Structures are given as C-alpha cells and as structure tokens.
Amino acid sequence: MAPFREAVNVKSVLQEEEGEYRTYTGMVDPDWTRHPDPIHVTAHYLRSSQPSKFEIRVRTLKTGRGFTNLTAELYQQGTVTVSTQQIFGINSVLPDGSNQSRGLTLAPPSSYARRIPLHTHPSTAVPQFTRDVWKFKPYIALSPDPVIFEKNALNHPNRANASTVGGTGLEWGAWVSFRDQGDEITENSLPFLVDVFAGLPYLMPRSERPGVGISWFPTMVLALEFKAPIPRFSVDHATRTVGIYYSTKFINDGRHDCNVEVWSAPQDIGEGKEVPGWREKQVCIATATQMAYIVPMEVNLERAKKENKL
C-alpha cells in the first residue's frame, strides 16, 4: 500500500509552448479507494458560478461493498453555489479492453437493446455554427442531425391533437467533437457534454413561444448517470466525438425538462467512412435529466451591472 502522499500524487507531464494547456498524470491507488469511478451525480445549482477562485468540500456519507456515497459542494467567496450528491463504484474497462460485468446488461444483438438514435454517420456530417453565447465554441465542432430536427416542424406527424395518445414532444441530436487533437472524451468531460444541446424554446416555432425573447436557460437540477465505460480508441470508436440525443416534453411557467443521451461515435466528424453494422458497436456512455428555467437575458445584464458597481 502506497503512502497517502503517493496515492494522491499527480505530476505535470506536458505544458504547451503558448501556455494554454497543462497536462497532469497520476494513478488511482486501489488500496486507498475501492470505488474509483463516478456512477451517478445529482447537482443542485443554487447560485451562478463566477470565473474566480473556488473551494470544493467533500464528505463521505457511506462506503459499502459496491458503492460509495458522498456529498460535494462548490464554494465561492464563502458561499455554496453548487451542492451535489454523488455515487462512486466500478465502471471500468479491463486491460484486454472488455468491461467488468457485475450483473445483467442489455446490449446488441438483443432486440430489446436501444441503438444509437442518430440517423447520420459522423463521416458525412458537416460542422455547423454554434451559439454565439458559447464562449467555448472555438474548441468544439457540432453537426446537428437534420432528420431529427425536421420532426419538430408544425406540420410533422409527431404533432399532437385531440385524438393523440401521449405524444413525442420535441427532439434534437448532433455529433459533437473536440477540435483540439489532444482532447479526449473522458468522465470529466461528460458533465459538460450532457449540457450541449438546443433547448426546448429554440426548437419551437415563434408562434408557440409568445413573449419569449433573447433568453438563457439556467440548469436548476441535473442528474447524471455514467452508464458504461468510455470505449477505447479503435476502428469502431473515436476518441474526440460523441453523439448527443435530446428530448423534452413539458414546459410550465418557464420550467422545462431536458433528457439527454450521450453515445460513443464510430469516427470523428468528417473523417473515415461508414461501415455496415457500426450502430451495433456504439454504446450509451451517459444519460442525464435536467430541470431548467427560462430567464430573460436582460436579467443577467442587470445583475452584471450591479456586480461591476460593487
């Protein structure tokens, strides 16, 4: 068993000449932690986070045979801004590339297993514009699925009427890639990726959202489950790209639901070629649900003015 200072030690291994990125490496010591992998996170966003110093306080609630439960809170200027409940366990890939099976798993070729819901293949996808308010847009490429987007049209058969049983709501899907060759899909990137989508208000025609102008849609509660290990790079799986599928059905007084699936991708956007059977080899690596809210942009602008005066 390694001493604690070695068990938590990380080392700087790379710093780019321009100083934009710094890479660290380390090893999770199995003698110190039985459950190294995130399984589930529920986050309550109490206040807006600021681009400034922060502190994270972690407390272990329970450690069992299969899972560890803990809380983690993000503090800024002495005030908690995000409060989370987290579950850690084992969601790893063995050295030979296979998964550690610990129970029933539903996967192809079973006819009950869900397949990736995107219609296009990333090799034929074309990157499109991203939202201007996304300051991170230079670092990602995004290619929406046109077949899914068309399902939101006013005259599409998915629209409900008096004889409809249930209803499909609204949908959106896209391939999303990190542009930087050094970036990879990791567990740390999944909380970011489950929040990259076109939200419900933007998918509805203007006639269905009267009075909604330029707005933003802050997340109030996020529940994220890490479904499966992220596949290693191979001829069947890319390292910088995922498929995002989003659906939503309800909005009341501005509060709306967001349901997201994150899938592995066979290629990066615009690269490679489509191979028969590629869908059978993709896995859903994460799912997330949100309760989000519609806030007029002027509210944010007024808040920024007050903070600048302080």
Side-chain angles (χ1 to χ4, degrees), residues 13-33:
V13 296
L14 175 66
Q15 183 174 6
E16 293 191 354
E17 293 182 2
E18 296 180 358
E20 184 175 357
Y21 293 97
R22 184 182 292 271
T23 302
Y24 295 87
T25 183
M27 177 66 69
V28 178
D29 193 310
D31 292 323
W32 281 95
T33 175

Side-chain angles (χ1 to χ4, degrees), residues 38-296:
I39 301 296
H40 193 276
V41 177
T42 302
H44 289 252
Y45 296 85
L46 308 178
R47 298 171 181 83
S48 297
S49 299
Q50 304 298 324
S52 62
K53 293 182 179 180
F54 64 87
E55 175 183 314
I56 297 177
R57 302 177 186 178
V58 180
R59 180 166 64 98
T60 300
L61 300 177
K62 174 189 174 183
T63 299
R65 292 184 60 185
F67 302 99
T68 292
N69 296 73
L70 56 84
T71 64
E73 295 178 328
L74 174 68
Y75 281 79
Q76 289 188 297
Q77 300 179 350
T79 302
V80 60
T81 59
V82 182
S83 176
T84 71
Q85 292 270 345
Q86 304 188 24
I87 301 175
F88 279 73
I90 299 176
N91 189 25
S92 306
V93 175
L94 295 172
D96 62 2
S98 61
N99 294 348
Q100 293 184 359
S101 178
R102 289 168 295 279
L104 177 64
T105 298
L106 193 59
S110 170
S111 60
Y112 289 92
R114 180 168 170 80
R115 271 65 168 181
I116 184 168
L118 272 65
H119 295 260
T120 60
H121 187 274
S123 63
T124 61
V126 178
Q128 297 185 16
F129 63 90
T130 55
R131 295 183 61 191
D132 290 337
V133 295
W134 288 355
K135 294 184 178 180
F136 53 82
K137 66 179 183 178
Y139 303 101
I140 67 168
L142 185 148
S143 179
D145 188 311
V147 179
I148 296 178
F149 186 77
E150 289 173 1
K151 295 181 181 181
N152 302 315
L154 270 172
N155 59 352
H156 193 274
N158 281 2
R159 300 287 72 76
N161 54 45
S163 62
T164 301
V165 179
T168 58
L170 299 171
E171 303 171 68
W172 183 85
W175 296 109
V176 179
S177 290
F178 288 121
R179 291 185 182 274
D180 192 284
Q181 296 290 329
D183 283 336
E184 294 183 358
I185 305 301
T186 64
E187 293 169 336
N188 290 338
S189 67
L190 291 179
F192 163 73
L193 291 168
V194 298
D195 204 32
V196 178
F197 55 81
L200 180 151
Y202 282 131
L203 298 179
M204 293 190 300
R206 292 188 180 276
S207 61
E208 297 295 315
R209 47 185 172 98
V212 177
I214 300 177
S215 306
W216 70 301
F217 316 114
T219 302
M220 301 181 70
V221 182
L222 168 69
L224 165 63
E225 181 179 357
F226 299 79
K227 280 289 185 184
I230 299 171
R232 294 179 176 178
F233 174 71
S234 68
V235 295
D236 300 315
H237 299 110
T239 58
R240 295 184 289 110
T241 302
V242 293
I244 303 290
Y245 174 76
Y246 162 86
S247 63
T248 179
K249 294 180 175 66
F250 305 99
I251 181 168
N252 298 87
D253 294 330
R255 289 183 292 109
H256 54 281
D257 62 310
C258 310
N259 306 283
V260 176
E261 301 171 15
V262 181
W263 289 77
S264 62
Q267 299 286 343
D268 290 318
I269 293 178
E271 299 181 8
K273 62 180 181 179
E274 184 171 346
V275 177
W278 66 272
R279 292 181 180 279
E280 298 288 283
K281 299 176 181 178
Q282 306 314 310
V283 295
C284 181
I285 55 180
T287 60
T289 59
Q290 287 190 31
M291 182 180 76
Y293 194 60
I294 299 177
V295 177

